[in-house]
Amino acid sequence: MLGYRKRIETDLQAWESKGWIDADGARAIRGDLATRSTGIGMAPVLAVLGAVLLATGAMTFVAAHWNDMPRVARLALLIGSLWAAYGVSGWLSMRGHPYFAEAANLLAGALFGVNIMLIGQMYHLSGSLPAAMLTWTAGVALAAVLLRSNTSLALAIVLAGAWSIIRTGETEGIHWAYLPVWAALFAAVTLTTRWRPAYHLLALSLSIWVVSAGSLVEGPDRHEYAVLAGLAVIAAAWFGRDWIDRVIAASRPAICYGLAVAFAGLYAMQFLDLGIYGANLWYAANGMPLWMLAAATLALVLGALGLGAVAGNQPLTWLAYVGFSLELVTLYFRTLGTLLDTSIFFLLAGVLVIALAWLAWHLRQRQLHQGGTA
Amino acid sequence: MRFPVIKNAWLALAVVAAAQSAVLGYMIYDRASLLRAGREVVLPVVPVDPRSLFQGDYVILGYDISRLKTTLTEATPQMAPGKPVFVTLSKGADGTWAQSAFGFEMPPALKPEDAVLQGRIAYAWLDGGVINISASYGIEQYFVEEGTGKEIEEQVRDRKIAVLLAVDASGRAAIKALMADGEIRYREPLL
């Protein structure tokens, strides 16, 4: 917001000196900007961090297993704290401090999990951690929906991800049960606050799920599914952008997540997967030559750069730069057969990209020319 | 479409707190009633490398029934992690219990003096026609106060420790007490 204001101030002075807007217009624009919210500020962020610290303190209190305090008393103390946190949340929202109330909601949701952990410890429950995590997720999701609480939504999404990771670690297969839980959380966000960061958390969780599923299938790793899924998301979000953005402005970030998933899949196929060709460094796990996958990765990244430029999608451009750099650095250390082959690959790719730069410059010139005459 | 708001914010908060407390209460009731009403079984404990984790210090308890062996036959079902196993326990002359049978379904007929434990397969591997199964029963961790696990661990290593379990009709088990040299050492209250 501050950066935007600074930029528009420079522009306003330039436009005013050129006579495109008069002094009254500039003043009106400045006045309008001043009335807008300047974000949530520092205080609520600190309150949330404080809540996280309190929750961590409660969790280590349980872990300390302090026997001088009878465990009934410990349980009463922690369930009492749960109620107190919700009480504080209500009091804060009555007093007109919604952001502080959100910090209290986060603390209460964390305390629900701390209580679950305490009960597990009281009865020496072993092997039930996934069930405990799912119960925790459900309780926090209920709070999120009934209280319309953004922090609870975020906590529930993170907890569901943690549940899936723990469950996957125990059973070593694709964790399909995550999908309905993810869908329920998506519905919870959509039917309550439609908070954008919660959607980002959901998209990030699903992206990680899709990419990791490629190494959880039986037999050799199959990350090509992640690549196809990512490409499908990019295509759907690009060609369906008008339709999607009429419902919710999601097509641009969706393209970014699609790129991240497709890139991660290609990266895993080239450098992480182990398969029958595992000993052969210049073949991917599924038998494809590494140079072909490397070329496909560069094509994907360059395509994303082009899309980012055409659509003015800055995050996509940055993601593409990061992907480009990652690909090159890793390729440099893992040669395509011999060092000479790798050298030829880099030289050819360099010539191609420079040719693309030349083409892009000409297209841009023509565009500007047409813009000037129209 | 959006969810309707509960107009009274205090009511919403109370509903959430009550619902979460009810879940916690049910978890306690479930365990306490298993401890109170379950059939008592004494199972000797075998040493396992001790570790410590998130819920604080705990002692890992291993049992003879944690490792099961069976020969591979036509009727053997697929061994996947998480699939159930049922171990029948019979009481020996010395008062401790040991495995007398096991299978992949609840035994249809059970002698009244026996008890059944339901476990889950952690992993299984085939070794020359013999299936080795690592199974867990939800009774493998004993949480102790910070810094007090050493004593129990040493007794476990000396094979002096047994657990007193409460087992219900479906084969679920809860640790009721730790026993050392046949005497109850650490008894767990219901609450």
Side-chain angles (χ1 to χ4, degrees):
Chain A
M1 195 71 196
L2 219 60
Y4 173 63
R5 248 181 225 177
K6 214 170 250 170
R7 251 186 302 148
I8 206 135
E9 182 57 38
T10 328
D11 285 346
L12 276 178
Q13 281 169 9
W15 296 334
E16 212 180 327
S17 67
K18 283 181 184 165
W20 295 349
I21 52 171
D22 57 17
D24 283 341
R27 205 174 307 123
I29 291 170
R30 286 193 191 101
D32 179 53
L33 279 176
T35 58
R36 292 200 208 160
S37 139
T38 52
I40 57 168
M42 199 64 196
V45 173
L46 286 177
V48 164
L49 294 181
V52 170
L53 285 172
L54 288 180
T56 316
M59 190 151 267
T60 35
F61 171 72
V62 168
H65 202 152
W66 187 41
N67 270 336
D68 290 345
M69 190 174 187
R71 58 188 208 178
V72 185
R74 274 181 277 161
L75 185 68
L77 176 70
L78 282 174
I79 294 186
S81 308
L82 176 92
W83 281 82
Y86 282 123
V88 166
S89 158
W91 182 74
L92 285 169
S93 41
M94 293 292 133
R95 298 279 303 257
H97 296 301
Y99 291 116
F100 291 137
E102 281 285 46
N105 287 335
L106 181 69
L107 175 62
L111 283 173
F112 178 54
V114 171
N115 274 293
I116 293 173
M117 297 303 166
L118 176 68
I119 292 168
Q121 184 197 63
M122 278 169 63
Y123 296 107
H124 307 287
L125 289 176
S126 65
S128 56
L129 190 57
M133 293 299 297
L134 188 59
T135 312
W136 189 2
T137 306
V140 175
L142 175 79
V145 168
L146 287 186
L147 307 177
R148 300 180 158 264
S149 158
N150 287 332
T151 51
S152 305
L153 284 171
L155 179 61
I157 295 164
V158 170
L159 287 173
W163 165 64
S164 184
I165 289 170
I166 292 170
R167 193 86 184 79
T168 304
E170 285 188 359
T171 54
E172 295 168 357
I174 297 180
H175 187 213
W176 294 107
Y178 179 70
L179 293 181
V181 170
W182 185 91
L185 288 170
F186 184 88
V189 176
T190 305
L191 296 174
T192 57
T193 64
R194 301 192 182 176
W195 194 43
R196 284 190 78 86
Y199 282 119
H200 278 291
L201 272 177
L202 280 168
L204 190 64
S205 312
L206 192 64
S207 302
I208 295 172
W209 187 91
V210 167
V211 174
S212 62
S215 46
L216 295 170
V217 290
E218 280 194 46
D221 291 350
R222 300 298 300 272
H223 280 109
E224 47 268 43
Y225 293 133
V227 179
L228 292 179
L231 291 176
V233 167
I234 295 174
W238 175 249
F239 294 111
R241 58 191 184 278
D242 293 335
W243 184 83
I244 294 171
D245 292 341
R246 220 173 295 146
V247 183
I248 182 165
S251 73
R252 291 151 67 95
I255 292 176
C256 294
Y257 285 106
L259 170 67
V261 167
F263 177 84
L266 279 168
Y267 189 89
M269 285 170 78
Q270 295 171 86
F271 307 119
L272 305 176
D273 288 357
L274 293 174
I276 44 170
Y277 296 88
N280 230 343
L281 281 178
W282 39 93
Y283 286 96
N286 62 354
M288 273 173 96
L290 200 52
W291 72 265
M292 218 182 256
L293 289 170
T297 311
L298 286 187
L300 171 75
V301 168
L302 293 176
L305 273 176
L307 208 57
V310 170
N313 190 338
Q314 284 262 341
L316 184 67
T317 307
W318 281 109
L319 264 181
Y321 281 137
V322 171
F324 184 77
S325 316
L326 263 178
E327 174 70 18
L328 285 200
V329 168
T330 325
L331 254 189
Y332 183 77
F333 286 108
R334 175 136 169 225
T335 57
L336 307 162
T338 66
L339 279 174
L340 195 60
D341 291 342
T342 315
S343 167
I344 290 169
F345 176 84
F346 278 129
L347 291 173
L348 277 178
V351 170
L352 262 174
V353 172
I354 290 169
L356 275 176
W358 183 82
L359 190 68
W361 188 79
H362 272 268
L363 283 175
R364 178 95 183 121
Q365 288 302 309
R366 216 165 66 190
Q367 215 175 24
L368 284 179
H369 188 68
Q370 282 172 347
T373 54
Chain B
M1 189 192 80
R2 297 202 176 188
F3 281 138
V5 195
I6 297 183
K7 281 287 182 290
N8 188 332
W10 286 111
L11 179 65
L13 286 162
V15 167
V16 169
Q20 291 185 347
S21 303
V23 170
L24 298 171
Y26 173 76
M27 294 172 77
I28 294 167
Y29 164 78
D30 185 46
R31 280 283 127 182
S33 54
L34 173 56
L35 277 179
R36 200 184 58 242
R39 176 85 182 277
E40 285 195 351
V41 165
V42 177
L43 213 56
V45 173
V46 296
V48 177
D49 281 340
R51 267 183 301 166
S52 149
L53 210 79
F54 207 9
Q55 277 167 320
D57 289 2
Y58 66 81
V59 182
I60 293 189
L61 306 175
Y63 306 93
D64 286 331
I65 56 169
S66 302
R67 303 236 170 263
L68 302 169
K69 271 179 198 284
T70 182
T71 45
L72 183 65
T73 65
E74 294 276 312
T76 312
Q78 209 196 339
M79 303 284 144
K83 289 270 173 67
V85 284
F86 294 87
V87 174
T88 307
L89 298 168
S90 304
K91 194 173 182 177
D94 59 348
T96 63
W97 298 59
Q99 171 198 340
S100 56
F102 94 90
F104 303 97
E105 276 161 29
M106 191 74 171
L110 193 67
K111 280 187 265 176
E113 64 270 23
D114 288 353
V116 172
L117 266 189
Q118 181 180 354
R120 276 186 305 188
I121 297 176
Y123 49 90
W125 70 99
L126 197 61
D127 183 14
V130 176
I131 307 171
N132 292 275
I133 298 166
S134 172
S136 62
Y137 302 86
I139 49 171
E140 282 80 13
Q141 291 174 341
Y142 192 81
F143 295 100
V144 294
E145 187 172 359
E146 194 182 357
T148 64
K150 275 274 169 289
E151 186 198 348
I152 301 178
E153 278 164 13
E154 274 160 23
Q155 288 179 318
V156 168
R157 229 167 292 145
D158 299 341
R159 284 187 166 259
K160 282 181 191 158
I161 293 273
V163 288
L164 175 61
L165 298 178
V167 182
D168 71 8
S170 67
R172 291 194 316 149
I175 297 177
K176 207 165 189 174
L178 274 198
M179 304 179 69
D181 298 323
E183 282 176 30
I184 287 178
R185 249 329 141 70
Y186 307 89
R187 180 175 272 285
E188 294 298 316
L190 287 187
L191 257 180

